[in-house]
Amino acid sequence: MLRALLAVLLIAWLPAPGFSQDLQSILQAHQAEVAKPSRKTVGPVLEALTASGLPEVPRFLERWQDKEVHVRTEDGLFFYIEDSGDSLTLLDLASGEPVETGVDSGAVKQIKPNGGVRKAIAEALVQFQLSDPDIARRTEAVEAIARGLDPGQIAPLSASINGEPDPALKARKEKLLTYLVARYGETPQARIDAIASLSGDLSVDGRAVLSQILTTRTQIAETLPQDANVARILKPGTDLTPAEAYAMIAEPAGAPALLNPSAIRQLLESHVQGGKVGGIPVSQLGAPDMRLRAYDALAAAGTVPPRATPEIVTETLAGWTIYEAYDEPDRTITDIAEQTWIDVQGRVGISRAADLGLDAISLASIYFLAAIGLAITFGVMGVINMAHGEFIMMGAYTGYVVQLFIPDYTLSLIIALPLAFAVTFAAGVAMERLVIRWLYNRPLETLLATFGVSIALQQLAKNIFGTQARPLTSPGWLDGAWQINEVIAISYIRIAIFVLALLFLALLLFILKKTRLGLEVRAVTQNPRMAASMGINPDRIKMMTFGLGSGIAGIAGVAIGLYAKVTSEMGADYIVQSFMTVVVGGVGNVWGTLAGAFMIGTLQKGIEWFNPSNTLAAQTYMILFIILFIQFRPKGIVALKGRAAGD
């Protein structure tokens, strides 16, 4: 009975695990390490805190990291403080409630963990933040892991995945776990499986993990070590020059240094005695072989260090091996990483080519919109309209003005497109009636007149809107990009411009092939005199055609303004490409304009890919290519046939 009573009392006296310990008692058990923490001693403290499961531990770690924890000097207890100016209030670590007020600042000491300790605290905090109810904190913790992959984060990251409610963040956690296991997995098979799964990951982070696994260092050896994981053997004369190879080997091999001619000359000059060096008169040292003989004589006498002769270099290189060895010792892992790297690079290359192709198609659609109006006027009327770019500019400014009055960007865009057509159509008709009609069949005068109109319209735009770029904001549903994979992406605005180009292509083909106006336009294009004899008014058709081409340029201006800057000079950025598109594609042909736009866009993107840092050079090369192209096909890709081809 007595023994049973003593056992009960003993059990009652012992601390119950998980209940009797609080945050302060854990800290007191490691009082010295908390009060004066260092990177080497803080580990056990953090392990004890994280193992306790106390809900106030994350908050304490955050405040400890931010240097907001203080220790009372008289008893070594830890507190948070509130500074009221004249005195301090000590706050309990668990509840945050005041423990003591009116405390003098000299009674407590601030704990200031250094950078290494703060980093260790941050690593310990991650496991709490990964399961925090706030998704922003969980995201922040995941990004912290991504910034510096640490093997210590494998366990907490893995434990947090199943309970992650957000699908996107869960996928991000799984990907990071794969990266960590690929580099630091406990077993070779786990690493191999993780590395193999990276073959479909084209992201920069995934490629960086593979690159880190495949890092190498250059080493030399007389005999290759049996345990070396050799990536490749470097051959002098192929992978590096013999001089570079010998410079790496000479010192460990105890071979003489390889001296260049200037170094030999300087040493000889410093050892001239009685008009001779090494027994050879100075007058004979003009020949390289005599200088070498003189130097070798000095070396034989011990005056200068011996030099590496070609025979010594050859013999030394033959006795040593230069190789690159993987930092990763396991050959199985580096083999699978190498194969995965080849697969990834192949997919990245294909994706980059596809991305370049999408960029080329996107640019071609922009050029098509800019040039199709010019193709109509140039093809039907033979007018070189240098003011075509300014009609594009007028359309863009029309969209900007509409947005000033209608803040709903979707509605303003719906209104701006037909309004821009109406404004530029009217401007085109006015220009044709006032200027162009008096200059038909006089191309030089037409070019000069339209160039003058171009300058006047630019100046008018500057006077009205100023010289600064004006915003033409796209609707929210056009923000962002379509991300096909980690390499291929195209903005929704460019997709919208491409769709608009297709709609205009269909609309113009319908007008030209299925309407009376299109029939009359084609008739005037092929034979104006015969068309007039059939009752068609060529002057009216030319006016309507010029207005139609100008109106299309206005709509193109709205579309381009959503993508590019809206300024008084924006038309000049597209007038040259528009003329090139029309000439290369075939004058007066819708399909030719489409083909020309595709060719110009593809060519420009291809040249920019080879020379991305110099867009001016890319445009120069493109113009030279087009000049050569029209020498062999002067009528363009899709040339007109019949009478129109001879006009």
Side-chain angles (χ1 to χ4, degrees):
M1 187 71 177
L2 181 60
R3 290 181 179 179
L5 180 60
L6 290 175
V8 171
L9 292 174
L10 180 61
I11 293 172
W13 176 79
L14 288 173
F19 294 94
S20 63
Q21 275 203 331
D22 58 12
L23 180 58
Q24 187 69 253
S25 64
I26 296 174
L27 297 178
Q28 290 305 309
H30 303 273
Q31 205 280 340
E33 291 82 359
V34 178
K36 294 183 178 180
S38 69
R39 188 67 176 89
K40 295 181 179 180
T41 61
V42 75
V45 181
L46 295 175
E47 291 176 5
L49 289 171
T50 53
S52 68
L54 295 172
E56 58 267 23
V57 167
R59 180 167 174 262
F60 170 77
L61 291 176
E62 290 176 355
R63 301 196 68 169
W64 189 18
Q65 184 184 30
D66 294 336
K67 304 179 183 180
E68 296 178 359
V69 177
H70 293 68
V71 58
R72 189 161 59 188
T73 54
E74 65 177 5
D75 54 12
L77 294 177
F78 299 98
F79 300 94
Y80 307 134
I81 66 166
E82 280 185 357
D83 190 351
S84 58
D86 298 332
S87 61
L88 304 177
T89 299
L90 303 185
L91 305 178
D92 183 68
L93 296 180
S95 64
E97 297 296 326
V99 174
E100 184 179 354
T101 59
V103 178
D104 185 77
S105 59
V108 294
K109 182 180 179 181
Q110 183 184 17
I111 300 174
K112 299 179 179 180
N114 59 31
V117 173
R118 291 199 301 274
K119 182 180 179 182
I121 295 173
E123 293 172 355
L125 264 172
V126 167
Q127 62 180 292
F128 297 102
Q129 296 170 341
L130 284 171
S131 302
D132 194 281
D134 186 358
I135 189 173
R137 293 177 67 84
R138 298 200 307 274
T139 303
E140 183 181 349
V142 169
E143 294 308 316
I145 294 175
R147 285 192 294 269
L149 297 178
D150 189 302
Q153 305 299 348
I154 293 178
L157 182 62
S158 178
S160 70
I161 289 177
N162 290 334
E164 175 56 56
D166 185 76
L169 190 57
K170 183 176 182 179
R172 177 68 169 151
K173 287 182 176 182
E174 291 172 343
K175 183 173 288 189
L176 283 179
L177 182 61
T178 301
Y179 296 162
L180 285 166
V181 174
R183 291 196 61 192
Y184 308 111
E186 292 184 358
T187 64
Q189 188 58 47
R191 295 186 64 190
I192 289 171
D193 293 341
I195 292 170
S197 69
L198 294 178
S199 60
D201 187 351
L202 307 185
S203 66
V204 175
D205 292 339
R207 282 178 275 163
V209 169
L210 290 174
S211 179
Q212 290 159 357
I213 295 172
L214 294 172
T215 54
T216 61
R217 61 192 183 280
T218 303
Q219 295 185 331
I220 60 173
E222 292 183 272
T223 303
L224 280 177
Q226 294 295 325
D227 58 345
N229 188 1
V230 178
R232 64 172 182 148
I233 295 176
L234 303 177
K235 296 182 179 180
T238 303
D239 301 309
L240 66 170
T241 65
E244 291 173 338
Y246 185 81
M248 297 172 62
I249 298 172
E251 184 176 350
L258 188 65
L259 301 177
N260 57 47
S262 62
I264 292 176
R265 181 188 291 272
Q266 291 176 1
L267 286 170
L268 292 177
E269 290 174 352
S270 63
H271 291 84
V272 176
Q273 293 181 354
K276 294 182 179 181
V277 180
I280 298 176
V282 174
S283 60
Q284 298 180 15
L285 295 180
D289 59 333
M290 297 302 291
R291 289 199 294 270
L292 293 178
R293 286 180 58 186
Y295 186 90
D296 290 340
L298 292 175
T303 307
V304 294
R307 68 180 179 89
T309 63
E311 294 77 12
I312 293 176
V313 171
T314 302
E315 182 181 353
T316 304
L317 293 180
W320 288 74
T321 301
I322 304 175
Y323 63 96
E324 288 181 351
Y326 291 112
D327 291 338
E328 169 59 51
D330 193 328
R331 177 173 292 276
T332 307
I333 290 176
T334 53
D335 285 346
I336 190 65
E338 189 71 40
Q339 183 58 50
T340 304
W341 175 260
I342 294 172
D343 293 343
V344 169
Q345 288 300 104
R347 289 188 173 92
V348 168
I350 294 172
S351 296
R352 284 175 176 169
D355 188 60
L356 185 66
L358 287 176
D359 283 346
I361 293 173
S362 173
L363 186 62
S365 64
I366 294 173
Y367 286 163
F368 176 78
L369 281 177
I372 188 62
L374 185 65
I376 294 173
T377 57
F378 193 21
V380 174
M381 307 168 64
V383 174
I384 303 175
N385 181 17
M386 297 300 295
H388 181 78
E390 278 52 58
F391 290 122
I392 295 175
M393 175 263 293
M394 290 172 62
Y397 272 121
T398 301
Y400 165 70
V401 172
V402 170
Q403 286 192 347
L404 293 179
F405 294 95
I406 303 177
D408 186 328
Y409 295 138
T410 300
L411 180 61
S412 65
L413 182 61
I414 294 173
I415 295 175
L417 288 172
L419 185 59
F421 178 85
V423 170
T424 51
F425 179 90
V429 169
M431 181 176 172
E432 195 277 337
R433 292 289 88 185
L434 297 175
V435 179
I436 303 298
R437 67 177 298 189
W438 310 105
L439 301 173
Y440 284 132
N441 301 319
R442 296 161 64 185
L444 181 60
E445 288 87 341
T446 305
L447 187 150
L448 292 174
T450 55
F451 184 69
V453 172
S454 168
I455 295 174
L457 290 176
Q458 284 189 34
Q459 188 58 50
L460 181 63
K462 288 179 182 178
N463 292 340
I464 297 174
F465 298 102
T467 57
Q468 292 184 343
R470 300 295 178 178
L472 185 55
T473 308
S474 62
W477 48 273
L478 287 179
D479 293 341
W482 180 28
Q483 193 80 33
I484 299 175
N485 60 28
E486 289 85 348
V487 178
I488 306 174
I490 182 169
S491 65
Y492 291 124
I493 292 179
R494 287 196 169 198
I495 295 175
I497 293 175
F498 175 73
V499 172
L500 187 63
L502 290 180
L503 291 175
F504 263 100
L505 175 62
L507 180 62
L508 284 174
L509 289 175
F510 175 79
I511 292 174
L512 293 175
K513 301 292 184 181
K514 302 296 183 181
T515 66
R516 180 178 178 83
L517 175 62
L519 179 65
E520 293 177 348
V521 167
R522 285 185 288 136
V524 172
T525 301
Q526 294 180 13
N527 195 324
R529 294 178 182 176
M530 183 63 72
S533 67
M534 299 296 293
I536 298 174
N537 186 348
D539 287 342
R540 173 181 169 276
I541 294 300
K542 289 181 179 180
M543 180 189 71
M544 294 296 293
T545 303
F546 200 91
L548 178 63
S550 302
I552 294 173
I555 293 180
V558 176
I560 293 172
L562 295 174
Y563 169 74
K565 60 183 180 180
V566 179
T567 66
S568 59
E569 286 135 5
M570 68 175 295
D573 296 335
Y574 294 95
I575 186 64
V576 175
Q577 283 86 349
S578 297
F579 272 109
M580 286 194 299
T581 300
V582 172
V583 172
V584 169
V587 176
N589 191 302
V590 175
W591 290 111
T593 305
L594 180 63
F598 181 78
M599 179 177 174
I600 297 296
T602 303
L603 184 63
Q604 180 171 334
K605 282 297 176 182
I607 296 174
E608 287 179 0
W609 184 78
F610 283 107
N611 191 11
S613 61
N614 194 338
T615 55
L616 181 60
Q619 292 181 359
T620 303
Y621 296 143
M622 182 175 63
I623 292 173
L624 291 176
F625 178 84
I626 291 170
I627 291 173
L628 291 175
F629 176 82
I630 61 178
Q631 298 300 314
F632 295 96
R633 197 170 179 86
K635 292 186 178 180
I637 300 173
V638 184
L640 290 175
K641 298 179 181 179
R643 292 180 179 271
D647 292 339

